[in-house]
Amino acid sequence: MLVLNYSITGTKHVFKDDVTGDCVMASYAVRRGMPEVLLMPCSGTGQLSSFVELYGECGSELTPADAFKVVERYNNGARY
């Protein structure tokens, strides 16, 4: 399960898998007018290690605070 390791900004947060120790960045951004939250693998210092999206959601209702809800859904089995 991903647990918050630390926040970089109000829109980027690093989570750590409590089993494997792998780190994942949850990032909120607005692309082409549509808000999105993406989960991507990163190092322990928050540097993206791959641009492969592990999971993501987009929708006009998303806000930066929804990154935590997206991670919760991912933890509960939401996958592409």
Side-chain angles (χ1 to χ4, degrees):
M1 174 168 33
L2 298 179
V3 294
L4 181 63
N5 196 20
Y6 62 93
S7 294
I8 297 174
T9 67
T11 61
K12 293 181 181 178
H13 312 278
V14 175
F15 290 82
K16 191 170 191 176
D17 188 303
D18 63 354
V19 175
T20 66
D22 294 339
C23 291
V24 173
M25 170 150 330
S27 176
Y28 170 88
V30 178
R31 303 280 184 239
R32 297 184 187 126
M34 182 64 67
E36 65 182 6
V37 175
L38 299 177
L39 304 183
M40 294 180 279
C42 71
S43 69
T45 60
Q47 296 294 319
L48 293 181
S49 55
S50 171
F51 288 98
V52 173
E53 297 172 13
L54 301 173
Y55 181 70
E57 294 182 10
C58 64
S60 60
E61 73 286 349
L62 289 175
T63 68
D66 289 324
F68 297 98
K69 293 176 186 174
V70 171
V71 170
E72 183 179 343
R73 286 190 283 272
Y74 179 82
N75 281 338
N76 288 321
R79 304 288 190 267
Y80 281 120

